[in-house]
Amino acid sequence: MTRVWRLLGWTFALLLLAMPVVAVVNGWIGAERWPIRTLALQAPLKLVDEATLRSTIAPMAQGGFFAVDPVAIRQSVAALPWVDAVDVRKRWPDRLEVRLTELRPYAHWGEDRLLSDDGRLFVLPAGLATPLPRFDAADGRVAEVIAFHREARPVLVRVGSDIRELRLSARGGWSLTTVDGLQVELGRNDALPRLSRFARLLPTLGRDPAGRVLQRADLRYTNGFALTWGEPAAAPTAPPASSNA
């Protein structure tokens, strides 16, 4: 019986010793003595809202230095829109460092999403305005659209133009609109070779003697293409001459 009481006594003593440690680690006590005073966000933020980031971290840092769980913070921050990677570290005695990298937007996808350069789709952050091109295709063809854009864009850039919109239809037909508003139908087969041949003529076509504006080019022909021209831009009207009485 004496051995049982001795064992219970030692167990109780160990519990008394362990309880303060458990309490500190869980933030039950010690938050005032070892608080987190500095939250360092070591990243230039463009898409991730800093206020949202801080409000996500703050509740998990209230228990004090020893109670902060870097893994839990990392998981919560990683769930925010446009966060790619997160690293969280505690620095004695009162500093919490959060490093993060953002996803890099590559294009608009449809009306309300953005596409990252590694092919992930995200909801368009409110109020974000970007000069990115717009892609329109089924979600399952993201990789195909990115690959085509990376090959087609230099073809137009070399002749002083660029892609404003790129579309891939359900039947696999490609079409695009340039930054100048020219609509180009490429079709399903040999889209890039067709675009390359046509792009070589763009500088010449842009100098129409009659002043007409090229609006649409249909390249879906074996030997040539069809062009649609707009009316010449109206010359500005000169203001009436003033006369002195």
Side-chain angles (χ1 to χ4, degrees), residues 5-42:
W5 281 108
R6 187 179 298 133
L7 179 60
L8 290 174
W10 278 107
T11 301
F12 183 70
L14 290 174
L15 287 173
L16 289 177
L17 291 174
M19 279 301 294
V21 177
V22 173
V24 169
V25 170
N26 284 277
W28 300 335
I29 61 173
E32 297 81 10
R33 185 170 183 179
W34 298 289
I36 294 292
R37 291 191 172 92
T38 303
L39 173 57
L41 302 178
Q42 300 180 2

Side-chain angles (χ1 to χ4, degrees), residues 36-226:
I36 294 292
R37 291 191 172 92
T38 303
L39 173 57
L41 302 178
Q42 300 180 2
L45 301 176
K46 295 181 180 180
L47 294 173
V48 177
D49 180 67
E50 183 173 336
T52 300
L53 180 60
R54 289 184 178 276
S55 65
T56 300
I57 298 171
M60 293 181 283
Q62 291 178 351
F65 183 86
F66 295 103
V68 170
D69 184 354
V71 175
I73 293 177
R74 187 181 305 117
Q75 291 173 345
S76 296
V77 173
L80 295 176
W82 289 101
V83 174
D84 187 17
V86 187
D87 182 57
V88 181
R89 298 177 185 272
K90 296 191 292 186
R91 301 292 185 187
W92 178 259
D94 58 5
R95 183 179 176 89
L96 179 65
E97 296 178 355
V98 179
R99 299 173 181 265
L100 63 88
T101 55
E102 295 177 307
L103 293 164
R104 294 183 295 273
Y106 187 79
H108 290 269
W109 189 268
E111 297 295 328
D112 56 1
R113 287 183 292 175
L114 283 173
L115 173 67
S116 69
D117 62 354
D118 62 353
R120 284 179 273 182
L121 294 171
F122 290 87
V123 175
L124 178 67
L128 178 67
T130 73
L132 299 173
R134 184 180 303 278
F135 297 164
D136 188 4
D139 290 357
R141 308 189 80 166
V142 164
E144 191 177 352
V145 174
I146 291 178
F148 185 88
H149 180 262
R150 286 175 174 166
E151 292 187 80
R153 183 172 183 259
V155 173
L156 290 171
V157 170
R158 281 194 293 267
V159 295
S161 188
D162 205 341
I163 297 175
R164 187 175 70 193
E165 297 180 11
L166 178 63
R167 297 170 293 277
L168 176 60
S169 72
R171 299 182 62 184
W174 293 99
S175 60
L176 61 85
T177 302
T178 70
V179 291
D180 305 310
L182 172 61
Q183 299 177 13
V184 183
E185 295 289 342
L186 298 166
R188 289 183 293 176
N189 302 317
D190 300 322
L192 281 171
R194 292 174 190 269
L195 180 62
S196 298
R197 290 193 295 269
F198 175 71
R200 290 194 290 268
L201 300 174
L202 264 180
T204 303
L205 295 171
R207 297 191 298 268
D208 181 60
R212 297 174 301 172
V213 178
L214 185 59
Q215 293 183 331
R216 187 173 184 272
D218 191 342
L219 313 186
R220 297 173 295 179
Y221 295 88
T222 304
N223 298 309
F225 41 81

